[in-house]
Amino acid sequence: AQSVSQHNHHVILSEAASLELGCNYSYGGTVNLFWYVQYPGQHLQLLLKYFSGDPLVKGIKGFEAEFIKSKFSFNLRKPSVQWSDTAEYFCAVVFSGGYNKLIFGAGTRLAVHP
Amino acid sequence: DAGVTQSPTHLIKTRGQQVTLRCSPKSGHDTVSWYQQALGQGPQFIFQYYEEEERQRGNFPDRFSGHQFPNYSSELNVNALLLGDSALYLCASSLQREQFFGPGTRLTVL
């Protein structure tokens, strides 16, 4: 079955710490990969996306993610987090033949303390 | 340029009732997808509409149905509501591979 796993459900960091959130998917075919963020009280926003090409993609607000095909992974990173990064982060995958059907992970709730 | 809009914002229903949620896509987008996000979980795909037809469907019972209008707006209908249908219902619109989400409708079933 097509599925997406996010390893960390809750992460607590201090400002300026580095962040890495894990995401793995189940299927070995062609995929489109996404990270979405949901700030408190706001709707889902796209952080970054990968369709093809350079496996290291850069998104908004200093976030980046690396697609490692052999590991079926698409981990999100940020070198130095800020209090304003406090939010819930979702990894999502469109599997081949999926017509833009997003399969989401369960999400990681990030809390950044000043 | 307005983004994706959804109405109503909140809704309270009782078990067995029926509900209709509405979505207006981002300008120029022709595809609308609906997702259900239960508390503490990631969104789950319900179905997708393109050219007024249901193009694909997730693992949701027939109690969940939808419609897309010629102006690309869409409705989600849920019949015979169950307590477990309480969730945030998200609409997303797209033209190609990137989806834009609306703020959602929070449905509470008592």
Side-chain angles (χ1 to χ4, degrees):
Chain A
Q2 298 169 344
S3 64
V4 178
S5 299
Q6 291 185 240
H7 313 301
N8 315 97
H9 295 294
H10 290 93
V11 173
I12 301 172
L13 295 173
S14 299
E15 276 191 319
S18 64
L19 171 71
E20 180 160 2
L21 301 182
C23 173
N24 286 89
Y25 59 93
S26 62
Y27 178 75
T30 302
V31 291
N32 292 332
L33 301 162
F34 305 83
W35 276 97
Y36 282 88
V37 61
Q38 194 167 33
Y39 297 104
Q42 297 187 27
H43 57 273
L44 278 169
Q45 300 171 39
L46 183 67
L47 264 182
L48 47 77
K49 57 186 183 279
Y50 174 81
F51 297 149
S52 64
D54 188 343
L56 185 62
V57 293
K58 296 199 182 296
I60 61 172
K61 304 187 181 188
F63 286 91
E64 66 178 31
E66 185 176 13
F67 170 49
I68 302 179
K69 189 174 182 179
S70 61
K71 294 185 178 181
F72 306 131
S73 70
F74 190 55
N75 291 354
L76 180 71
R77 299 194 292 248
K78 186 172 185 179
S80 176
V81 295
Q82 301 172 317
W83 176 78
S84 59
D85 293 324
T86 295
E88 189 153 22
Y89 293 80
F90 293 95
C91 178
V93 179
V94 173
F95 294 93
S96 61
Y99 281 122
N100 261 359
K101 171 185 170 181
L102 285 165
I103 306 293
F104 282 86
T108 297
R109 193 172 296 272
L110 172 67
V112 180
H113 295 306
Chain B
D1 174 29
V4 180
T5 59
Q6 293 185 243
S7 62
T9 305
H10 295 87
L11 206 50
I12 299 174
K13 293 285 188 178
T14 56
R15 280 178 296 176
Q17 285 189 310
Q18 178 264 343
V19 68
T20 297
L21 311 182
R22 295 176 176 83
C23 171
S24 291
K26 191 173 168 63
S27 177
H29 287 186
D30 59 4
T31 302
V32 172
S33 302
W34 287 91
Y35 295 81
Q36 181 196 66
Q37 186 176 15
L39 204 59
Q41 297 182 25
Q44 285 197 291
F45 177 80
I46 303 174
F47 42 53
Q48 183 180 93
Y49 278 84
Y50 173 70
E51 292 189 344
E52 302 180 53
E53 296 284 333
E54 183 182 289
R55 180 155 69 176
Q56 60 178 330
R57 188 178 182 91
N59 289 331
F60 280 80
D62 292 345
R63 297 186 298 109
F64 289 77
S65 63
H67 189 77
Q68 186 178 35
F69 299 93
N71 67 353
Y72 306 123
S73 67
S74 177
E75 287 182 351
L76 163 65
N77 300 291
V78 187
N79 294 322
L81 284 167
L82 303 174
L83 295 179
D85 295 331
S86 294
L88 181 67
Y89 288 85
L90 298 169
C91 169
S93 73
S94 58
L95 182 60
Q96 295 182 355
R97 289 183 286 183
E98 183 174 334
Q99 292 189 47
F100 293 79
F101 283 83
T105 294
R106 172 76 60 190
L107 172 65
T108 302
V109 182
L110 302 177

